[in-house]
């Protein structure tokens, strides 16, 4: 638990006299919620590491704004899990306001506590959107989700690779409920702390203080898209330790049977490491 | 003339977890400034049309406009969501 001091100041606009009063509030540290994504066959991973909680599902641009929760390609949501769902509506249409009613209808379906976002990794150069489009998307969607599902968490998810090409700070929407990081090593010397730290620094440069979460991580994406900088078990162990130190809300791994480097199951040391992380997350 | 003062700060929850919305309610009293005003009495003689005049000054205490600010040791962004002139509500993310 960390204690913070709020200092209120009242200043007389006429005389410039002022008064201050401090008050203490506390923020309890929470351990990141551990989980994984749909493609890995969530239940297989869950069984292997002792029962996990977070579930990350993805709707495609074709799905657009789903008419059912969580959308046809993001579900089904495992019973008892914490859903983290991303959708991909047409961005110019969202910004124009023409999809407001559809977003509101979908938002009404979002359960309390669930995580949602539009266009995870939308800032990535490969997506081809401008900073104004991405911030405009979130600025339009956030109040709609919060008005129709006040206790959901609406945030923004980045790939940490975007920290290497200046696509974090200008793409950061302010005032969201969380800022997710999809974390993969980009050099042979990369560490989880350096990788995430670089992205967090650039998010903070936009005037945002968090909270942060790891919304995807693994240490190779296969097909040469990323480079393993250390043993996978060490990557997860170090990454989780850093996430805890930063009071991150979640630590979600990513597995994919169609990407050679991300096929479950990994080596036994990695499964053991993930089991330890999962147990700590739930303790 | 009186300086402004803050009467109380209350939070919407006893403790927060990261990601929570913190709502802080600040109750305050505006400062006051003196406003000197003049009172003039006039006696008019209806026959001669002459008049006697006497002016005296008195002071009225005027409530000033106050600006309310909030900051915390964690460098959070605090947003003022309402202000009645005596009660201001700020929010931030834990």
């Amino acid at each position: 638990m960390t204690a913070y001091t709020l200092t209120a100041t009242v200043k007389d606009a006429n005389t410039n006299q002022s008064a201050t009063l401090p008050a203490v509030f506390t923020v309890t540290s929470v351990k990141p919620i551990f989980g994984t994504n749909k493609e890995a066959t969530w239940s297989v991973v869950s069984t292997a590491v002792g029962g996990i909680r977070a579930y990350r599902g993805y709707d495609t641009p074709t799905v657009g704004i789903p008419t059912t929760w969580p959308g046809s390609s993001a579900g089904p949501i495992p019973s008892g899990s914490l859903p983290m769902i991303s959708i991909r509506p047409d961005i110019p249409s969202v910004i124009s306001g023409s999809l407001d009613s559809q977003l509101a209808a979908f938002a009404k379906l979002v359960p309390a506590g669930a995580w949602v976002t539009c266009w995870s990794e939308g800032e990535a150069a490969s997506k081809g959107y401008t900073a104004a489009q991405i911030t405009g998307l979130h600025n339009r969607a956030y109040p709609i989700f919060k008005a129709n599902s006040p206790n959901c968490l609406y945030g923004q998810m980045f790939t940490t690779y975007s920290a290497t090409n200046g696509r974090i700070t200008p793409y950061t929407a302010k005032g969201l409920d969380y800022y997710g990081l999809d974390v993969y090593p980009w050099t042979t010397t990369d560490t989880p702390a350096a990788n995430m730290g670089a992205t967090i620094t650039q998010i903070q440069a936009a005037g945002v203080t968090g909270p942060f979460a790891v919304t995807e991580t693994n240490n190779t994406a296969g097909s040469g898209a990323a480079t393993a900088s250390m043993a996978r078990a060490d990557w997860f162990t170090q990454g989780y330790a850093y996430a805890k130190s930063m009071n991150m809300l979640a630590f979600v791994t990513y597995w994919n049977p169609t990407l050679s480097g991300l096929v479950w199951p990994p080596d036994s040391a990695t499964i053991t490491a993930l089991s330890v992380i999962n147990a700590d997350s739930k303790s | 003339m009186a300086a402004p003062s803050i009467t109380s700060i209350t939070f919407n929850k006893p403790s927060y977890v990261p990601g929570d919305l913190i709502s802080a309610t600040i109750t305050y009293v505006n400062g006051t400034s003196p406003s000197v005003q003049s009172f003039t009495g006039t006696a008019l003689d209806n026959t001669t049309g002459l008049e006697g005049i006497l002016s005296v000054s008195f002071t009225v205490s005027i409530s000033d406009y106050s600006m309310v600010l909030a900051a915390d040791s964690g460098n959070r962004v605090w947003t003022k969501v309402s202000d009645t002139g005596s009660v201001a509500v700020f929010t931030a993310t834990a």
Side-chain angles (χ1 to χ4, degrees):
Chain A
M1 177 181 293
T2 305
Y4 296 94
T5 300
L6 169 70
T7 301
T9 301
V10 57
K11 183 175 182 180
D12 189 309
N14 186 35
T15 66
N16 277 333
Q17 290 182 303
S18 63
T20 62
L21 185 67
V24 174
F25 64 94
T26 58
V27 178
T28 304
S29 297
V30 292
K31 294 180 177 177
I33 299 168
F34 184 76
T36 197
N37 58 302
K38 175 184 176 180
E39 287 84 349
T41 310
W42 187 91
S43 60
V44 172
V45 177
S46 182
T47 299
V49 303
I52 63 177
R53 176 130 191 269
Y55 166 85
R56 192 163 166 199
Y58 309 78
D59 280 310
T60 64
T62 303
V63 173
I65 300 174
T67 55
T68 59
W69 170 256
S72 57
S73 62
I77 295 172
S79 175
S81 67
L82 171 67
M84 300 174 171
I85 304 300
S86 54
I87 65 173
R88 291 183 171 180
D90 181 69
I91 292 177
S93 298
V94 170
I95 294 172
S96 75
S98 65
L99 294 178
D100 282 0
S101 60
Q102 292 177 52
L103 278 174
F106 178 69
K108 287 181 189 297
L109 304 174
V110 180
W115 293 34
V116 286
T117 190
C118 294
W119 280 93
S120 59
E121 302 185 8
E123 87 294 342
S126 60
K127 302 292 195 303
Y129 293 111
T130 67
Q133 285 178 307
I134 294 301
T135 56
L137 165 72
H138 294 302
N139 292 339
R140 188 86 192 184
Y142 179 80
I144 294 174
F145 275 88
K146 300 301 284 188
N148 291 281
S149 180
N151 294 310
C152 77
L153 295 181
Y154 182 97
Q156 182 174 6
M157 297 179 184
F158 299 89
T159 167
T160 56
Y161 183 73
S162 294
T164 69
N165 57 13
R167 296 181 72 93
I168 297 287
T169 304
Y171 286 79
T172 301
K174 297 180 181 178
L176 306 185
D177 294 331
Y178 68 88
Y179 293 85
L181 313 177
D182 293 353
V183 185
Y184 301 90
W186 302 111
T187 71
T188 54
T189 58
D190 209 353
T191 66
N195 187 301
M196 289 186 253
T199 302
I200 288 171
T201 296
Q202 293 186 30
I203 292 173
Q204 291 171 329
V208 165
T209 58
F212 302 102
V214 174
T215 43
E216 278 185 14
T217 190
N218 211 316
N219 81 332
T220 174
S223 305
T227 302
S229 59
M230 61 180 69
R232 182 174 275 163
D234 293 337
W235 177 264
F236 286 135
T237 299
Q238 291 184 28
Y240 179 71
Y242 181 77
K244 280 176 66 177
S245 74
M246 296 295 287
N247 285 324
M248 290 198 194
L249 304 180
F251 189 81
V252 176
T253 61
Y254 182 85
W255 305 91
N256 192 321
T258 66
L259 295 176
S260 62
L262 297 174
V263 176
W264 184 272
D267 60 285
S268 61
T270 295
I271 295 177
T272 298
L274 293 178
S275 300
V276 170
I277 290 168
N278 186 43
D280 184 80
S281 170
K282 294 192 291 186
S283 66
Chain B
M1 184 170 71
S5 62
I6 299 173
T7 309
S8 67
I9 301 172
T10 58
F11 296 101
N12 62 324
K13 293 173 67 174
S15 183
Y16 300 90
V17 297
D20 274 354
L21 181 72
I22 307 171
S23 179
T25 301
I26 300 166
T27 304
Y28 65 97
V29 178
N30 286 314
T32 59
S33 295
S35 174
V36 178
Q37 300 181 13
S38 175
F39 177 85
T40 301
T42 302
L44 174 64
D45 186 315
N46 286 335
T47 302
T48 64
L50 297 174
E51 59 182 21
I53 300 173
L54 181 63
S55 294
V56 295
S57 296
F58 62 99
T59 301
V60 175
S61 182
I62 304 266
S63 180
D64 293 331
Y65 169 74
S66 295
M67 294 176 291
V68 189
L69 307 169
D72 83 272
S73 53
N75 294 320
R76 291 172 180 78
V77 177
W78 288 88
T79 302
K80 186 164 69 175
V81 295
S82 66
D83 189 349
T84 67
S86 60
V87 178
V89 177
F90 287 80
T91 60
T93 301

